[in-house]
Amino acid sequence: MLKLSLTKSDDSYSKAAMERMFDEISALVKRLNGVGSALATLNLFHRETVEIEGKRRMLRDFVAVDLGPDPTAGTFRVVIHNPAVIPATVAILKENGFINIDASDRRSLKVVKPRLTVQQEEDLENEVKRVAKNSLQKVSSVKADAMQRLTAAIKVEYIHAPEAQKARVQLDSLFDEARKHITILSLIRRKQLLGGGMGFDGPEEESLYRRINDSQYKNVTAALLETIAPDMGDD
């Protein structure tokens, strides 16, 4: 379980900052999940119609996209509940750029995703970095705000100098811990989306990359792969 720690001081300023930083990291997971999201693939047939026995029907009533355990994998399945819709289903897949389709099984189409172009890979990597940088700026602001309030408390003697110094050290430690979490989450998402095609921005990032499989990141790694099916009643 990903967490932040109060190892230097448990003062109220550090506690409040830790909670705000943790909330931001949790929000970052959701934002990173949206980068390169597989929802577009999941929604392929959401609004499409097909003619069955002379009537227009919603195609989603007869097919279902199965992304498998890893939505970033290079293939997915389209489960077919009525073989009569296969031609329309294949046509829609091709219209959306999915050319490599195995229709040998009339109950399930196997679809190979088109390989990303170099530009698409660069765009995805840059977007992940942008989202992570924005999150880093937010936790930096949390630290700055806590430091400012701490300084004000010293002036009115609400907190004594020795305790304030411990709090400063703790806030520095919290920020460094949060910064590393943010970097590692960025690396995890880039690895999911790009595989071995990603690069590192300096030696620290390369070093932190070795931690992406640590047990504390197991849950967030899974969360980054989650897709939520569309509301079937939302037309």
Side-chain angles (χ1 to χ4, degrees), residues 117-185:
T117 66
V118 173
Q119 186 60 55
Q120 287 172 326
E121 289 184 344
E122 288 181 0
D123 289 345
L124 280 174
E125 186 166 25
N126 288 337
E127 181 62 11
V128 170
K129 290 179 180 180
R130 184 195 67 78
V131 171
K133 182 179 180 180
N134 181 263
S135 188
L136 185 59
Q137 291 171 340
K138 289 181 179 180
V139 296
S140 179
S141 294
V142 169
K143 174 190 170 184
D145 179 62
M147 288 289 194
Q148 190 174 37
R149 291 189 296 110
L150 187 60
T151 299
I154 295 172
K155 290 181 179 178
V156 297
E157 299 182 349
Y158 184 76
I159 186 173
H160 297 298
E163 288 76 17
Q165 179 57 29
K166 288 182 180 179
R168 287 193 182 96
V169 172
Q170 180 61 75
L171 288 168
D172 285 337
S173 177
L174 278 172
F175 173 73
D176 188 59
E177 193 175 8
R179 178 184 63 80
K180 289 177 179 176
H181 281 323
I182 289 169
T183 301
I184 291 171
L185 290 176

Coordinates of all heavy atoms in Angstrom, one line a residue, residues 117-185:
T117 N 2.7 5.0 -33.7 CA 3.7 5.6 -34.4 C 4.7 6.3 -33.4 O 4.4 6.4 -32.2 CB 3.2 6.7 -35.3 OG1 2.6 7.8 -34.5 CG2 2.1 6.2 -36.3
V118 N 5.9 6.6 -33.9 CA 6.9 7.3 -33.0 C 6.3 8.6 -32.4 O 6.4 8.8 -31.2 CB 8.1 7.6 -33.8 CG1 9.1 8.4 -33.0 CG2 8.8 6.3 -34.3
Q119 N 5.5 9.3 -33.2 CA 4.9 10.5 -32.7 C 3.9 10.3 -31.7 O 3.8 11.0 -30.7 CB 4.3 11.3 -33.9 CG 3.7 12.7 -33.5 CD 4.8 13.6 -33.0 OE1 5.8 13.8 -33.6 NE2 4.6 14.1 -31.8
Q120 N 3.1 9.2 -31.9 CA 2.1 8.9 -30.9 C 2.7 8.4 -29.5 O 2.3 8.8 -28.5 CB 1.2 7.7 -31.4 CG 0.2 8.1 -32.5 CD -0.5 7.0 -33.1 OE1 0.0 5.9 -33.2 NE2 -1.8 7.2 -33.5
E121 N 3.8 7.7 -29.6 CA 4.6 7.3 -28.4 C 5.1 8.5 -27.7 O 5.0 8.6 -26.5 CB 5.7 6.3 -28.8 CG 5.2 5.0 -29.2 CD 6.4 4.0 -29.5 OE1 7.5 4.5 -29.6 OE2 6.1 2.8 -29.5
E122 N 5.7 9.5 -28.5 CA 6.2 10.7 -27.9 C 5.1 11.5 -27.2 O 5.3 12.1 -26.1 CB 6.9 11.5 -28.9 CG 8.3 10.9 -29.4 CD 8.9 11.8 -30.5 OE1 8.3 12.9 -30.8 OE2 10.0 11.5 -30.9
D123 N 4.0 11.6 -27.9 CA 2.8 12.4 -27.3 C 2.4 11.7 -26.0 O 2.1 12.5 -25.1 CB 1.7 12.4 -28.3 CG 2.0 13.3 -29.6 OD1 3.0 14.1 -29.5 OD2 1.3 13.2 -30.6
L124 N 2.3 10.4 -26.0 CA 1.8 9.7 -24.7 C 2.8 10.0 -23.6 O 2.4 10.3 -22.5 CB 1.7 8.2 -25.0 CG 0.4 7.8 -25.7 CD1 0.5 6.3 -26.0 CD2 -0.8 8.1 -24.8
E125 N 4.1 9.8 -23.9 CA 5.1 10.0 -22.9 C 5.1 11.4 -22.4 O 5.2 11.7 -21.2 CB 6.5 9.6 -23.4 CG 7.6 9.7 -22.4 CD 8.9 9.0 -22.8 OE1 9.1 8.9 -24.0 OE2 9.6 8.5 -22.0
N126 N 5.0 12.4 -23.3 CA 5.0 13.8 -22.9 C 3.8 14.1 -22.0 O 3.9 14.9 -21.1 CB 5.1 14.7 -24.1 CG 6.4 14.7 -24.8 OD1 7.4 14.4 -24.1 ND2 6.5 15.0 -26.0
E127 N 2.6 13.5 -22.4 CA 1.4 13.8 -21.6 C 1.5 13.2 -20.2 O 1.1 13.9 -19.2 CB 0.2 13.2 -22.3 CG -1.1 13.4 -21.6 CD -1.5 14.9 -21.4 OE1 -0.8 15.8 -22.0 OE2 -2.5 15.2 -20.7
V128 N 2.1 12.0 -20.1 CA 2.3 11.4 -18.7 C 3.2 12.3 -17.9 O 3.0 12.6 -16.7 CB 2.9 10.0 -18.8 CG1 3.3 9.5 -17.5 CG2 1.9 9.1 -19.4
K129 N 4.3 12.8 -18.5 CA 5.2 13.7 -17.8 C 4.6 15.0 -17.4 O 4.8 15.5 -16.3 CB 6.5 14.0 -18.7 CG 7.4 12.8 -18.9 CD 8.5 13.2 -19.8 CE 9.5 12.0 -20.1 NZ 10.6 12.3 -21.0
R130 N 3.7 15.5 -18.3 CA 3.0 16.8 -18.0 C 2.1 16.6 -16.8 O 2.1 17.5 -15.9 CB 2.2 17.3 -19.2 CG 1.6 18.6 -19.0 CD 0.5 18.9 -20.1 NE -0.6 18.0 -19.9 CZ -1.6 18.2 -19.0 NH1 -1.5 19.2 -18.1 NH2 -2.6 17.3 -18.9
V131 N 1.4 15.5 -16.8 CA 0.4 15.3 -15.7 C 1.2 15.1 -14.4 O 0.8 15.6 -13.3 CB -0.4 14.0 -16.0 CG1 -1.2 13.6 -14.8 CG2 -1.4 14.3 -17.1
A132 N 2.3 14.4 -14.4 CA 3.1 14.2 -13.2 C 3.8 15.5 -12.7 O 3.8 15.7 -11.5 CB 4.2 13.1 -13.5
K133 N 4.2 16.3 -13.7 CA 4.8 17.6 -13.3 C 3.8 18.5 -12.6 O 4.1 19.2 -11.6 CB 5.4 18.3 -14.6 CG 6.1 19.6 -14.3 CD 6.6 20.2 -15.5 CE 7.3 21.6 -15.2 NZ 7.8 22.2 -16.5
N134 N 2.6 18.5 -13.1 CA 1.5 19.3 -12.5 C 1.2 18.8 -11.1 O 1.0 19.6 -10.2 CB 0.2 19.1 -13.4 CG -0.9 19.9 -12.8 OD1 -1.8 19.4 -12.1 ND2 -1.0 21.2 -13.1
S135 N 1.3 17.5 -10.9 CA 1.1 16.9 -9.5 C 2.2 17.3 -8.6 O 2.0 17.6 -7.4 CB 1.0 15.4 -9.6 OG 0.6 14.9 -8.4
L136 N 3.4 17.3 -9.1 CA 4.6 17.7 -8.3 C 4.5 19.1 -7.9 O 4.8 19.5 -6.8 CB 5.9 17.5 -9.2 CG 7.2 17.7 -8.5 CD1 7.3 16.8 -7.3 CD2 8.4 17.5 -9.4
Q137 N 4.0 20.0 -8.8 CA 3.8 21.4 -8.4 C 2.8 21.6 -7.3 O 3.0 22.4 -6.4 CB 3.4 22.2 -9.7 CG 4.5 22.3 -10.7 CD 4.0 22.9 -12.0 OE1 2.8 22.9 -12.3 NE2 4.9 23.4 -12.8
K138 N 1.8 20.7 -7.3 CA 0.8 20.8 -6.3 C 1.3 20.4 -4.9 O 1.0 21.0 -3.9 CB -0.4 20.0 -6.7 CG -1.2 20.6 -7.8 CD -2.5 19.7 -8.2 CE -3.2 20.4 -9.3 NZ -4.4 19.6 -9.7
V139 N 2.1 19.3 -4.9 CA 2.6 18.9 -3.6 C 3.7 19.9 -3.1 O 3.9 20.1 -1.9 CB 3.2 17.5 -3.6 CG1 2.1 16.5 -3.9 CG2 4.3 17.3 -4.6
S140 N 4.4 20.5 -4.0 CA 5.3 21.6 -3.7 C 4.6 22.8 -3.0 O 5.1 23.3 -2.0 CB 6.1 22.0 -4.9 OG 7.0 23.1 -4.6
S141 N 3.4 23.1 -3.6 CA 2.6 24.2 -3.0 C 2.1 23.8 -1.6 O 2.0 24.7 -0.7 CB 1.4 24.5 -3.9 OG 1.9 25.0 -5.2
V142 N 1.8 22.5 -1.4 CA 1.3 22.1 -0.1 C 2.5 22.3 0.9 O 2.2 22.8 2.0 CB 0.9 20.6 -0.1 CG1 0.7 20.0 1.3 CG2 -0.3 20.4 -0.9
K143 N 3.7 21.9 0.5 CA 4.8 22.1 1.4 C 5.0 23.6 1.7 O 5.2 24.0 2.9 CB 6.1 21.5 0.8 CG 7.3 21.8 1.6 CD 8.6 21.4 0.8 CE 9.8 21.9 1.5 NZ 11.1 21.6 0.8
A144 N 5.0 24.4 0.7 CA 5.2 25.8 0.9 C 4.2 26.4 1.8 O 4.5 27.3 2.6 CB 5.2 26.5 -0.5
D145 N 2.9 26.0 1.6 CA 1.9 26.5 2.5 C 2.1 26.1 3.9 O 1.9 27.0 4.8 CB 0.5 26.0 2.0 CG -0.6 26.5 2.8 OD1 -0.9 27.7 2.9 OD2 -1.3 25.6 3.4
A146 N 2.5 24.9 4.2 CA 2.7 24.4 5.5 C 3.9 25.2 6.1 O 3.9 25.6 7.3 CB 3.0 22.9 5.5
M147 N 5.0 25.4 5.4 CA 6.1 26.2 5.9 C 5.7 27.6 6.2 O 6.2 28.2 7.2 CB 7.2 26.2 4.8 CG 7.9 24.9 4.6 SD 9.0 24.5 6.0 CE 10.0 23.1 5.2
Q148 N 4.9 28.2 5.4 CA 4.4 29.6 5.7 C 3.6 29.6 7.0 O 3.8 30.5 7.8 CB 3.6 30.0 4.5 CG 3.3 31.5 4.5 CD 2.6 32.0 3.2 OE1 1.7 31.2 2.7 NE2 2.9 33.1 2.7
R149 N 2.7 28.7 7.1 CA 1.9 28.7 8.4 C 2.8 28.4 9.6 O 2.5 28.9 10.7 CB 0.8 27.6 8.2 CG -0.3 28.0 7.2 CD -1.5 27.1 7.3 NE -1.2 25.8 6.9 CZ -1.2 24.7 7.7 NH1 -1.5 24.9 9.0 NH2 -0.9 23.5 7.3
L150 N 3.8 27.6 9.4 CA 4.7 27.3 10.5 C 5.5 28.5 10.9 O 5.7 28.8 12.1 CB 5.7 26.1 10.0 CG 6.7 25.6 11.1 CD1 5.9 24.9 12.2 CD2 7.5 24.5 10.4
T151 N 6.0 29.3 9.9 CA 6.7 30.5 10.2 C 5.8 31.5 11.0 O 6.2 32.2 11.9 CB 7.2 31.2 8.9 OG1 8.1 30.3 8.2 CG2 7.9 32.5 9.2
A152 N 4.5 31.6 10.6 CA 3.6 32.5 11.2 C 3.4 32.0 12.7 O 3.3 32.9 13.6 CB 2.3 32.5 10.5
A153 N 3.3 30.7 12.9 CA 3.1 30.2 14.2 C 4.3 30.5 15.2 O 4.1 30.7 16.4 CB 2.9 28.7 14.2
I154 N 5.5 30.5 14.6 CA 6.7 30.8 15.4 C 6.6 32.3 15.9 O 7.0 32.6 17.0 CB 8.0 30.6 14.6 CG1 8.1 29.1 14.3 CG2 9.2 31.1 15.3 CD1 9.2 28.7 13.3
K155 N 6.2 33.1 15.0 CA 6.2 34.6 15.3 C 5.2 34.9 16.5 O 5.5 35.8 17.3 CB 5.7 35.4 14.1 CG 6.8 35.4 13.0 CD 6.4 36.2 11.8 CE 7.4 36.3 10.7 NZ 7.0 37.0 9.5
V156 N 4.1 34.1 16.6 CA 3.2 34.4 17.7 C 3.4 33.4 18.8 O 2.6 33.2 19.7 CB 1.7 34.2 17.2 CG1 1.4 35.3 16.2 CG2 1.4 32.9 16.6
E157 N 4.6 32.7 18.8 CA 5.0 31.7 19.8 C 4.0 30.6 20.0 O 3.8 30.1 21.1 CB 5.3 32.5 21.1 CG 6.4 33.5 21.0 CD 6.7 34.2 22.3 OE1 5.9 34.0 23.3 OE2 7.7 34.9 22.4
Y158 N 3.3 30.2 18.9 CA 2.3 29.1 19.0 C 3.1 27.8 19.0 O 2.6 26.8 19.6 CB 1.4 29.2 17.8 CG 0.3 28.1 17.9 CD1 -0.8 28.2 18.8 CD2 0.4 27.0 17.1 CE1 -1.8 27.3 18.8 CE2 -0.6 26.0 17.1 CZ -1.7 26.1 18.0 OH -2.7 25.2 18.1
I159 N 4.3 27.8 18.5 CA 5.2 26.6 18.5 C 6.6 27.1 18.8 O 7.0 28.2 18.3 CB 5.1 25.9 17.1 CG1 5.9 24.6 17.2 CG2 5.6 26.8 16.0 CD1 5.7 23.7 15.9
H160 N 7.3 26.3 19.5 CA 8.7 26.7 19.9 C 9.7 26.3 18.8 O 9.4 25.4 18.0 CB 9.1 26.0 21.2 CG 8.2 26.4 22.4 ND1 8.1 27.7 22.8 CD2 7.3 25.7 23.2 CE1 7.3 27.8 23.9 NE2 6.8 26.6 24.1
A161 N 10.8 26.9 18.8 CA 11.8 26.8 17.8 C 12.3 25.3 17.6 O 12.3 24.9 16.4 CB 13.0 27.7 18.0
P162 N 12.6 24.6 18.6 CA 13.0 23.2 18.4 C 12.0 22.3 17.7 O 12.3 21.6 16.8 CB 13.3 22.7 19.8 CG 13.6 23.9 20.6 CD 12.7 25.0 20.1
E163 N 10.7 22.5 18.1 CA 9.6 21.7 17.5 C 9.4 22.2 16.1 O 9.1 21.4 15.2 CB 8.3 21.9 18.3 CG 8.3 21.1 19.6 CD 9.1 21.8 20.7 OE1 9.4 23.0 20.5 OE2 9.4 21.2 21.7
A164 N 9.6 23.5 15.8 CA 9.4 24.0 14.5 C 10.5 23.5 13.5 O 10.2 23.2 12.4 CB 9.4 25.5 14.5
Q165 N 11.7 23.4 14.1 CA 12.8 22.8 13.2 C 12.5 21.4 12.9 O 12.7 21.0 11.7 CB 14.1 22.9 14.0 CG 15.3 22.4 13.2 CD 15.5 23.0 11.9 OE1 15.2 24.2 11.7 NE2 16.1 22.3 10.9
K166 N 12.0 20.6 13.8 CA 11.6 19.2 13.5 C 10.5 19.1 12.4 O 10.6 18.3 11.5 CB 11.2 18.5 14.8 CG 12.2 18.2 15.8 CD 11.7 17.4 17.0 CE 12.7 17.1 18.0 NZ 12.2 16.4 19.2
A167 N 9.6 20.1 12.5 CA 8.5 20.1 11.6 C 9.0 20.5 10.2 O 8.6 19.9 9.2 CB 7.5 21.2 12.0
R168 N 10.0 21.4 10.1 CA 10.6 21.7 8.8 C 11.3 20.5 8.2 O 11.2 20.3 7.0 CB 11.6 22.9 9.0 CG 11.0 24.2 9.3 CD 12.0 25.3 9.1 NE 11.5 26.7 9.4 CZ 11.6 27.3 10.6 NH1 12.3 26.7 11.6 NH2 11.1 28.5 10.7
V169 N 12.0 19.8 9.0 CA 12.7 18.6 8.5 C 11.7 17.6 8.0 O 11.9 17.0 7.0 CB 13.6 18.0 9.6 CG1 14.2 16.7 9.2 CG2 14.8 19.0 10.0
Q170 N 10.6 17.5 8.8 CA 9.6 16.5 8.4 C 8.9 16.9 7.1 O 8.6 16.1 6.2 CB 8.5 16.4 9.5 CG 7.4 15.4 9.2 CD 7.9 14.0 9.0 OE1 8.3 13.3 9.9 NE2 8.0 13.5 7.7
L171 N 8.6 18.2 6.9 CA 8.0 18.6 5.7 C 8.9 18.4 4.5 O 8.5 18.0 3.4 CB 7.6 20.1 5.8 CG 6.5 20.4 6.7 CD1 6.4 21.9 7.0 CD2 5.1 19.9 6.1
D172 N 10.2 18.6 4.7 CA 11.2 18.4 3.6 C 11.1 16.9 3.3 O 11.2 16.5 2.1 CB 12.6 18.8 4.0 CG 12.8 20.3 4.0 OD1 12.1 21.0 3.3 OD2 13.7 20.7 4.7
S173 N 11.1 16.0 4.3 CA 11.1 14.6 4.1 C 9.8 14.1 3.4 O 9.8 13.3 2.5 CB 11.2 13.9 5.4 OG 11.1 12.5 5.3
L174 N 8.7 14.7 3.8 CA 7.4 14.4 3.2 C 7.4 14.7 1.7 O 7.0 13.9 0.8 CB 6.3 15.1 3.9 CG 5.7 14.5 5.1 CD1 4.7 15.5 5.8 CD2 5.0 13.1 4.9
F175 N 7.9 15.9 1.4 CA 7.9 16.3 0.0 C 8.8 15.4 -0.8 O 8.5 15.1 -2.0 CB 8.4 17.8 -0.1 CG 8.6 18.2 -1.5 CD1 7.5 18.5 -2.4 CD2 9.9 18.4 -2.1 CE1 7.7 18.9 -3.7 CE2 10.1 18.7 -3.4 CZ 9.0 19.0 -4.2
D176 N 10.0 15.1 -0.3 CA 10.9 14.2 -1.0 C 10.3 12.8 -1.3 O 10.4 12.2 -2.4 CB 12.2 14.0 -0.3 CG 13.3 13.3 -1.1 OD1 13.6 13.8 -2.2 OD2 13.7 12.2 -0.6
E177 N 9.5 12.3 -0.3 CA 8.9 11.0 -0.4 C 7.8 11.1 -1.4 O 7.6 10.2 -2.3 CB 8.3 10.6 1.0 CG 7.9 9.2 1.0 CD 7.4 8.8 2.4 OE1 7.3 9.7 3.3 OE2 7.1 7.6 2.7
A178 N 7.0 12.2 -1.4 CA 5.9 12.4 -2.3 C 6.4 12.5 -3.8 O 5.9 12.0 -4.7 CB 5.0 13.6 -2.0
R179 N 7.5 13.3 -3.9 CA 8.1 13.5 -5.2 C 8.6 12.2 -5.8 O 8.4 12.0 -7.0 CB 9.3 14.4 -5.0 CG 10.1 14.7 -6.3 CD 11.3 15.6 -6.0 NE 12.3 14.9 -5.2 CZ 13.2 14.0 -5.6 NH1 13.2 13.6 -6.9 NH2 14.0 13.4 -4.7
K180 N 9.1 11.3 -5.0 CA 9.6 10.0 -5.5 C 8.4 9.1 -5.9 O 8.4 8.5 -6.9 CB 10.5 9.3 -4.5 CG 11.8 10.0 -4.3 CD 12.7 9.3 -3.2 CE 14.0 10.0 -3.1 NZ 14.8 9.4 -2.0
H181 N 7.3 9.2 -5.1 CA 6.1 8.4 -5.5 C 5.6 8.9 -6.8 O 5.2 8.1 -7.7 CB 5.0 8.6 -4.4 CG 5.2 7.8 -3.2 ND1 5.7 6.5 -3.2 CD2 5.0 8.1 -1.9 CE1 5.7 6.0 -2.0 NE2 5.3 6.9 -1.1
I182 N 5.5 10.2 -7.0 CA 5.0 10.8 -8.2 C 5.8 10.4 -9.4 O 5.3 10.0 -10.5 CB 4.9 12.3 -8.1 CG1 3.8 12.7 -7.2 CG2 4.7 13.0 -9.5 CD1 3.8 14.2 -6.8
T183 N 7.2 10.4 -9.3 CA 8.1 10.0 -10.3 C 7.9 8.5 -10.7 O 7.8 8.1 -11.9 CB 9.5 10.2 -9.9 OG1 9.7 11.6 -9.7 CG2 10.5 9.8 -11.1
I184 N 7.7 7.7 -9.6 CA 7.6 6.2 -9.9 C 6.2 5.9 -10.5 O 6.2 5.1 -11.4 CB 7.7 5.5 -8.5 CG1 9.2 5.5 -8.1 CG2 7.3 4.0 -8.7 CD1 9.5 5.0 -6.7
L185 N 5.2 6.6 -10.1 CA 3.9 6.4 -10.8 C 3.9 6.8 -12.2 O 3.3 6.2 -13.1 CB 2.8 7.3 -10.0 CG 2.4 6.8 -8.6 CD1 1.4 7.8 -8.0 CD2 1.8 5.4 -8.7

